[in-house]
Amino acid sequence: MAVLWVVASGVLTSVGSSAVAAEPDSTYQRARRSFFSFKNDPGRRQYRHHWFRVIKGFQAVSTKFPEHALAARALYTEAELWKGLYGVSRKHSDLAEALSKYELVELNHPASSLADDALWQRSQLFLHKMKRLPEAAYEVSDLLRRYPEGDMAKRARATARELEGTKPHEPDDRRSAQLPFLRGRPREGEGQTLVSRFSHWSNDSYSRVSIHLDGACEITTGQVEFSSQASLPSRVFVDLHKTSLPSGFEEPIDINDRLLGRIRVAPNGADSVRVALDLKAHTVEHRVLVLENPFRVLIDVYGGAGALDSSATRAGSTISRRVVIDPGHGGHDSGASGVERLLEKDVVLKIGRRVQSYLEREGVEVVLTRDNDTFVSLEERTAIANRAGADAFISIHANSHEDPTVRGIETYYLDVTDDQYAIRLAALENQTKREKLKDVHLALSELAARVNTPDSKRLATGLQANLVQLAARTNKGTRNLGVKASLFYVLLGVRMPSALVETSFISNPQEGRLLSTGAYQEQLAAAIAKGVLDHFNSPSED
Ligand code: ZN
């Protein structure tokens, strides 16, 4: 099943997949040609999907050849496209994409001639589009500090004078941006796993560091307490065995948010690498998770109790509830596919947006993990949820089965389970091969036991009841497949009641057709929203 699903996604990754064997130059030239034909076609510029097609062309360059000089150009042009799209759409998320792509130009390609241009563009977006003067001041001062001789310096100085008296403030997205790609040499000894890069997300009470590796490895982890003798801060470390470190990590990586100081990476003995995170005083707890395909190690760090349990401080007060809605899949990951080439990623995004408007009408604040057809990694989804400090997390999916007569609605919460059916499904949603799941199972069972299971089960039960009741009005003959426990990575590490809804079977002709209609999407969304509201209004049993 998992293989079928990957093949099905080929439809939407035609740019990417044809670029696999291609050279950076030809991939870039192809993207440019599509850009110019698009630029001269005002009709096409009215539609988001045409923008996305051009954007994808440039993404093929920057993701497949991240070290190549053309990747900087591709990222910069992509940022320009998001800015242009914002001009049409006025959607804040488009502007945020533009800001983050400019940021990546500067982070990944600091020596490129476009790096200071990218910072300049960021300052102008903060200044003119967002009216955020402290952030604009930060960007121009950063530009002048790092590229004082560059061709943007003169303009930056003029803006700095304009903003004199404004206290610079580091933009939030700077802290959540990916850390630089490492410019390392290729691996030396065969058989060794190689550390490739780090990424990071944080807010005041939560910080997540993700270590990306080019293959699987064994890990051990531990904590070292503050030592006044060595004047070293308390730190948590992860040892990556049979792993080596390419050049590019000699200097500590600065995180410097509220919980973490620096990441230090160094060889530890002959064939192991130690990654150590300096903990600040606010830190109270941490945990380490392992994800596969691609293999990465996540370190979650949590702050003091007051900041940690944001749902408790908000409950019952006049401050509204906050919910994270997670439309599954996206971008090159299409999810399951069904009748008339209907793709799970498209359907669940539409349902997610409808849930958002339902809940917002009820005064509930909603954070979407994605608001367009982009790929969001599993750890990023949970990081978004934890960073938002939300009161509930709902992942929305459409189900699939090789037997087209199989249909129905089911809802999951996170748990370890021996249920073979649930394992098959978990493999499909987790992008993990089924054979590998058993080991992952064992490794994660201890962590899963620490999840807030009773509250998640209660949330899942309420969602399922509403879905079956409301959706069955249109979806005659559907089956209530019940509430189940399973091991979904997307739910793993989420610090709030969380559930995953399998709305209907996209592989069933009747349910697949229904899923494509606005009316049924609306019904599903209403049921999910009602399930969330019921959850907030009924007291917890424990
Ligand atoms: Zn799915």
Side-chain angles (χ1 to χ4, degrees):
M1 279 311 285
V3 173
L4 258 181
W5 161 70
V6 171
V7 172
S9 72
V11 182
L12 273 114
T13 51
S14 52
V15 176
S17 52
S18 60
V20 168
E23 289 300 309
D25 290 282
S26 57
T27 312
Y28 180 75
Q29 290 309 330
R30 193 170 335 115
R32 258 184 65 129
R33 279 195 300 275
S34 95
F35 176 57
F36 283 115
S37 90
F38 172 73
K39 237 179 135 174
N40 298 322
D41 188 342
R44 279 200 290 161
R45 287 206 306 273
Q46 302 304 313
Y47 295 96
R48 287 184 79 77
H49 67 278
H50 287 301
W51 287 86
F52 289 155
R53 201 163 296 159
V54 183
I55 284 170
K56 272 188 176 161
F58 289 103
Q59 284 176 345
V61 182
S62 58
T63 58
K64 298 230 184 307
F65 314 103
E67 312 279 325
H68 198 278
L70 284 171
R73 302 214 153 266
L75 275 171
Y76 192 88
T77 315
E78 193 194 335
E80 297 282 314
L81 280 159
W82 284 111
K83 187 173 79 174
L85 178 55
Y86 171 73
V88 181
S89 73
R90 296 283 146 195
K91 278 167 81 91
H92 179 80
S93 57
D94 295 336
L95 190 55
E97 285 286 349
L99 283 166
S100 94
K101 298 303 171 181
Y102 285 127
E103 169 77 352
L104 281 179
V105 173
E106 192 270 332
L107 268 175
N108 293 347
H109 307 274
S112 154
S113 64
L114 289 169
D116 57 341
D117 295 67
L119 289 179
W120 169 253
Q121 291 291 350
R122 280 178 60 90
S123 74
Q124 297 307 296
L125 289 180
F126 280 121
L127 187 58
H128 300 298
K129 305 287 182 203
M130 303 175 83
K131 312 285 178 214
R132 302 253 292 260
L133 307 191
E135 279 84 354
Y138 181 94
E139 296 294 345
V140 286
S141 74
D142 197 38
L143 194 166
L144 288 169
R145 185 174 59 81
R146 306 185 50 182
Y147 305 98
E149 309 294 327
D151 56 356
M152 287 291 139
K154 199 175 158 203
R155 273 181 263 189
R157 267 182 216 109
T159 302
R161 273 196 299 277
E162 228 177 280
L163 291 170
E164 215 169 74
T166 305
K167 193 166 171 272
H169 180 265
E170 183 177 12
D172 286 346
D173 67 339
R174 283 275 196 147
R175 279 182 15 190
S176 60
Q178 277 185 341
L179 296 171
F181 279 103
L182 117 116
R183 262 156 277 276
R185 6 184 194 99
R187 68 161 75 190
E188 278 171 19
E190 270 309 320
Q192 290 276 67
T193 302
L194 219 59
V195 176
S196 58
R197 67 187 171 93
F198 291 83
S199 47
H200 172 244
W201 302 266
S202 73
N203 68 6
D204 280 351
S205 61
Y206 167 71
S207 195
R208 168 171 279 188
V209 170
S210 179
I211 310 167
H212 301 250
L213 297 128
D214 72 345
C217 71
E218 269 180 45
I219 67 163
T220 48
T221 172
Q223 190 163 358
V224 182
E225 290 311 320
F226 167 76
S227 138
S228 53
Q229 255 174 341
S231 74
L232 276 172
S234 300
R235 52 205 187 276
V236 47
F237 66 85
V238 175
D239 286 340
L240 311 157
H241 301 291
K242 293 213 165 58
T243 295
S244 55
L245 196 61
S247 62
F249 289 111
E250 291 79 8
E251 295 296 317
I253 303 165
D254 265 317
I255 297 284
N256 237 337
D257 58 15
R258 192 165 170 274
L259 302 172
L260 294 175
R262 303 192 292 185
I263 306 177
R264 280 170 293 121
V265 195
N268 184 38
D271 64 347
S272 122
V273 169
R274 173 164 290 191
V275 178
L277 274 58
D278 293 348
L279 303 176
K280 291 190 177 173
H282 310 288
T283 305
V284 295
E285 196 193 340
H286 75 272
R287 64 173 150 186
V288 178
L289 306 176
V290 173
L291 293 187
E292 290 191 310
N293 286 348
F295 190 87
R296 57 251 196 243
V297 179
L298 313 183
I299 306 161
D300 280 351
V301 179
Y302 302 94
L308 188 73
D309 196 357
S310 54
S311 63
T313 52
R314 278 212 301 279
S317 72
T318 49
I319 304 165
S320 75
R321 299 282 199 160
R322 190 180 292 160
V323 174
V324 175
I325 299 294
D326 172 48
H329 312 279
H332 64 77
D333 169 15
S334 309
S337 62
V339 286
E340 286 153 19
R341 303 180 92 195
L342 188 63
L343 297 176
E344 178 182 357
K345 64 170 187 174
D346 297 328
V347 175
V348 297
L349 178 59
K350 286 178 183 159
I351 297 170
R353 286 195 184 125
R354 289 173 192 270
V355 175
Q356 178 183 28
S357 46
Y358 265 102
L359 288 173
E360 284 178 349
R361 259 177 272 155
E362 297 294 327
V364 176
E365 200 184 321
V366 174
V367 176
L368 287 174
T369 54
R370 66 178 180 99
D371 188 24
N372 54 40
D373 184 19
T374 46
F375 177 75
V376 183
S377 68
L378 295 176
E379 68 261 42
E380 192 166 356
R381 289 173 200 262
T382 53
I384 289 167
N386 289 341
R387 195 168 58 182
D391 304 292
F393 176 89
I394 321 267
S395 193
I396 303 175
H397 290 255
N399 220 333
S400 170
H401 199 277
E402 58 251 27
D403 177 355
T405 65
V406 173
R407 56 186 299 193
I409 299 166
E410 59 195 359
T411 305
Y412 287 82
Y413 61 96
L414 181 68
D415 206 348
V416 272
T417 172
D418 292 326
D419 181 349
Q420 282 304 303
Y421 175 80
I423 288 174
R424 184 193 69 77
L425 189 78
L428 191 71
E429 297 293 6
N430 288 334
Q431 318 167 9
T432 304
K433 283 205 192 80
R434 193 179 164 182
E435 314 83 74
K436 281 199 168 182
L437 210 74
K438 218 172 175 182
D439 299 334
V440 179
H441 234 144
L442 290 172
L444 297 178
S445 57
E446 188 258 335
L447 291 159
R450 295 171 60 187
V451 190
N452 185 353
T453 302
D455 246 11
S456 294
K457 191 178 180 184
R458 195 166 62 83
L459 173 66
T461 307
L463 286 167
Q464 176 71 8
N466 278 291
L467 279 162
V468 169
Q469 197 193 352
L470 284 177
R473 289 182 194 166
T474 313
N475 188 354
K476 303 285 181 210
T478 193
R479 293 183 56 209
N480 180 354
L481 299 174
V483 174
K484 293 170 180 175
S486 189
L487 189 73
F488 284 97
Y489 287 156
V490 69
L491 300 182
L492 195 76
V494 182
R495 291 279 274 200
M496 64 205 71
S498 52
L500 185 146
V501 171
E502 291 283 1
T503 49
S504 292
F505 279 79
I506 201 167
S507 52
N508 174 262
Q510 187 183 334
E511 292 195 344
R513 253 190 306 279
L514 278 172
L515 279 171
S516 71
T517 66
Y520 189 57
Q521 290 164 8
E522 192 74 15
Q523 261 174 345
L524 291 167
I528 292 167
K530 191 162 176 301
V532 171
L533 295 170
D534 287 354
H535 180 77
F536 289 157
N537 294 330
S538 68
S540 145
E541 280 147 33
D542 42 77

